[in-house]
């Protein structure tokens, strides 16, 4: 079991996490979901102590993670990165076994483990084990990124938006794959995403985050049926009822910089009104309940590109 107790994180004046309390049962598929900047990565990286909390404690199997030997803690926490980051100069089996090698596993044991894992994700070891990363597609590389995190049989697997750079078809295949691996391996999975669809597909429990606070924790079904507040409800509606997007949707996803300029459009204006306005203005200024923000053509293009990718 993993427990966050009153955990806060401040970066020079910026409160990234504020009094986080969270329990992740052993063997769970737990998803942290929220817009960009809500504190998901900070929460995840605290588990393998890549980031230390400013306040509060995190417990792993009833012991404070700060009291673990760092190396032993990290051996129990496999970590899958967003940008796949395979070592380009190592072949696939050596990439998979790199942590096993540092633990002193014999060469035979490492290769056997790498080949077994390749099989488990439908990559034929005879074909793939000795290829270089550049000879694999993005989806194949991410499969290797996932099994690399599993190689030394950690108790917990941490995944930070592992599929966000992939096309929708590879993404769906990899979602099926991690569900399947989770069922087979009985490890605890902690998965970060900004995509509510992905959270609902994968999570046994979901924590919805916003601006360093947890808004709601529960099963997907419970959250969908009884959203705790307007933010959670809006996050679901954005995903489920196709309606014309508004400026508010961009702001919810964290686009737009703070400004003191006077507002030029309401937040309820549609995306096409925003696009029209940006033909003649370099920035559109909107007043929201979090203050005044300005949006540029770059914000609009980024937003549309991520919608397209989803
Ligand atoms: P998410 O993963 O949900 O996008 P993060 O955990 O990366 O959110 O960030 C949460 C907040 O902390 C954001 O406001 C971000 O700008 C800030 N932040 C993250 N890392 C740092 C850092 N190293 N220094 C200063 N601020 C940071
Ligand atoms: Mg992040």
């Amino acid at each position: 079991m993993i427990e966050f107790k009153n955990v806060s994180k401040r970066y020079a004046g910026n409160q990234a996490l504020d009094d986080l309390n969270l329990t992740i049962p052993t063997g769970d598929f737990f998803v942290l979901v929220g817009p960009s900047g809500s504190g998901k990565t900070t929460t995840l990286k605290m588990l393998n102590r890549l980031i230390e909390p400013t306040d509060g404690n995190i417990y792993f199997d009833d012991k404070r993670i700060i009291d673990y030997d760092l190396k032993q803690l990290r051996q129990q926490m496999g970590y899958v990165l967003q940008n796949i980051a395979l070592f380009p100069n190592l072949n696939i089996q050596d990439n998979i076994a790199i942590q096993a090698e540092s633990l002193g596993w014999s060469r035979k044991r490492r290769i056997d483990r790498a080949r077994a894992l390749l099989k488990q994700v439908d990559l034929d070891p005879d074909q793939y084990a000795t290829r270089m990363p550049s000879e694999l597609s993005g989806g194949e590389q991410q499969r290797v990124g996932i099994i690399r995190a599993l190689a030394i049989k950690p108790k917990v697997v941490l995944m930070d938006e592992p599929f966000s750079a992939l096309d929708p078809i590879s993404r769906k295949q990899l979602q099926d794959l991690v569900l399947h691996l989770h069922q087979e391996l009985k490890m605890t999975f902690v998965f970060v995403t900004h995509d509510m669809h992905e959270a609902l597909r994968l999570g046994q429990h979901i924590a919805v985050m916003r601006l360093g606070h947890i808004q709601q924790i529960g099963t997907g079904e419970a959250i969908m049926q009884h959203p705790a507040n307007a933010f959670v409800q809006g996050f679901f509606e954005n995903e489920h009822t196709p309606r014309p997007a508004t400026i508010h949707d961009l702001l919810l996803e964290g686009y737009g910089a703070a400004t003191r300029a006077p507002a030029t459009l309401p937040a309820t204006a549609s995306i096409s009104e925003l696009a029209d306005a940006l033909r003649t203005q370099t920035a559109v200024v909107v007043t929201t309940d979090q203050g005044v923000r300005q949006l540029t053509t770059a914000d609009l293009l980024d937003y549309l590109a991520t919608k397209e990718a989803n």
Side-chain angles (χ1 to χ4, degrees), residues 143 163 166-180 195 198 201-202 309:
R143 273 169 206 243
F163 309 146
L166 300 177
D167 63 88
I169 293 171
S170 310
R171 193 177 180 136
K172 161 100 174 42
Q173 285 174 346
L174 281 161
Q175 288 169 350
D176 290 340
L177 178 80
V178 290
L179 280 171
H180 173 74
D195 176 353
E198 188 161 80
R201 272 202 84 208
L202 297 179

Side-chain angles (χ1 to χ4, degrees), residues 56-273:
N57 280 298
I58 301 164
Y59 296 79
F60 176 48
D61 291 343
D62 298 319
K63 180 168 149 184
R64 295 193 311 177
I65 62 166
I66 196 90
D67 295 331
Y68 280 82
D69 172 70
L70 187 60
K71 205 170 154 208
Q72 278 171 8
L73 180 77
R74 292 205 177 141
Q75 283 164 19
Q76 301 186 50
M77 305 262 175
Y79 189 35
V80 182
L81 297 150
Q82 175 169 8
N83 51 351
I84 307 153
L86 298 178
F87 297 98
N89 54 336
L90 295 183
N91 71 20
I92 296 303
Q93 70 188 14
D94 290 342
N95 259 287
I96 296 169
I98 190 144
Q99 221 184 346
E101 184 176 9
S102 73
L103 289 179
W105 291 24
S106 72
R107 178 161 174 80
K108 174 166 189 321
R109 187 172 170 211
R110 295 197 310 264
I111 289 176
D112 287 350
R113 177 73 177 147
R115 291 179 64 91
L117 284 166
L118 283 168
K119 252 189 224 151
Q120 207 159 8
V121 296
D122 292 327
L123 295 174
D124 177 4
D126 291 336
Q127 271 196 55
Y128 284 90
T130 56
R131 279 201 208 168
M132 300 308 280
S134 61
E135 299 170 303
L136 270 59
S137 72
E140 288 168 344
Q141 288 185 36
Q142 194 52 296
R143 273 169 206 243
V144 175
I146 293 166
I147 55 181
R148 180 176 59 177
L150 305 174
I152 61 164
K153 304 189 180 171
K155 290 185 181 165
V156 180
V157 185
L158 310 175
M159 289 178 269
D160 194 352
E161 311 222 15
F163 309 146
S164 55
L166 300 177
D167 63 88
I169 293 171
S170 310
R171 193 177 180 136
K172 161 100 174 42
Q173 285 174 346
L174 281 161
Q175 288 169 350
D176 290 340
L177 178 80
V178 290
L179 280 171
H180 173 74
L181 286 173
H182 179 255
Q183 251 174 8
E184 290 212 331
L185 301 171
K186 318 249 178 272
M187 296 169 181
T188 306
F189 280 22
V190 187
F191 190 103
V192 162
T193 178
H194 63 268
D195 176 353
M196 192 53 115
H197 273 305
E198 188 161 80
L200 291 169
R201 272 202 84 208
L202 297 179
Q204 289 175 328
H205 293 97
I206 298 172
V208 185
M209 297 186 69
R210 178 195 187 211
L211 297 173
H213 291 270
I214 290 184
Q215 306 292 304
Q216 187 166 9
I217 304 179
T219 61
E221 199 161 286
I223 295 177
M224 245 184 330
Q225 282 171 3
H226 305 285
N229 57 38
F231 172 79
V232 176
Q233 190 166 14
F235 208 47
F236 274 99
E237 281 170 358
N238 286 346
E239 300 286 341
H240 286 284
T241 39
R243 59 172 175 77
T246 64
I247 292 181
H248 190 63
D249 295 323
L250 267 85
L251 298 173
L252 269 184
E253 295 196 10
Y255 291 97
T259 179
R260 287 165 186 268
T264 55
L265 270 185
T268 50
S270 69
I271 294 296
S272 52
E273 287 172 289

